[in-house]
Amino acid sequence: MERGEFLSKLGIGMAIVCAGCAISSCGSKGNDPAPSNNNGGNNGGGNTSGTSINLVSELANIGDSKILGDAIVVRLATGNIPASFTAVQVACTHQGTSIGYNLAQGIFICPNHGSEFSTSGAVVLGPATANLKVYTVAINNNVLTVS
């Protein structure tokens, strides 16, 4: 087999494999992960064990975020006071996908179906209908804890 023929067949084979992967990843809602925490609001529960952050070395800039257990913590403002941070459940209340923080828009966004949440966990845009659980942030000697 000539080198050109080999590369041609390899390219076609890879295209078929990639097409198969793309099709299987675009499954229906039934294939999406189940939510890990669909309580919403300020209800108890959730795994926040080991959830402390040294503010001297982490979350130094506005918009910085870190996932701690079932929570995502974001610095919203300067100063090491609880009001400068928010902590909400990381699992979207629609189908449990991990959300991320979008600094430019000042909201949390689910990459799976586009649900949007305010920094206080309220649904801004569906398909999610339940608010995110909000955790309590405390700071002692430049150490942030979430409970």
Side-chain angles (χ1 to χ4, degrees):
M1 177 181 301
E2 294 288 323
R3 181 174 184 225
E5 182 183 357
F6 171 77
L7 292 175
S8 174
K9 288 183 180 183
L10 177 65
I12 292 171
M14 291 302 291
I16 292 170
V17 169
C18 289
C21 291
I23 291 169
S24 67
S25 68
C26 292
S28 68
K29 290 191 319 184
N31 293 337
D32 291 337
S36 64
N37 184 347
N38 201 10
N39 291 342
N42 285 321
N43 299 332
N47 173 17
T48 57
S49 62
T51 53
S52 63
I53 297 172
N54 181 341
L55 296 176
V56 173
S57 60
E58 298 180 90
L59 300 184
N61 302 305
I62 294 173
D64 286 353
S65 65
K66 183 172 183 175
I67 295 175
L68 297 172
D70 292 342
I72 181 170
V73 181
V74 177
R75 178 181 282 276
L76 301 175
T78 59
N80 287 350
I81 60 172
S84 295
F85 300 87
T86 187
V88 299
Q89 77 183 61
V90 72
C92 179
T93 57
H94 178 237
Q95 291 188 333
T97 302
S98 292
I99 61 171
Y101 184 69
N102 182 302
L103 176 61
Q105 294 179 285
I107 58 174
F108 292 101
I109 301 175
C110 177
N112 204 19
H113 294 110
S115 291
E116 298 178 1
F117 303 88
S118 71
T119 56
S120 62
V123 175
V124 174
L125 178 69
T129 58
N131 294 337
L132 298 171
K133 176 183 174 176
V134 178
Y135 292 94
T136 301
V137 172
I139 299 174
N140 186 10
N141 296 326
N142 289 323
V143 175
L144 179 146
T145 57
V146 176
S147 58

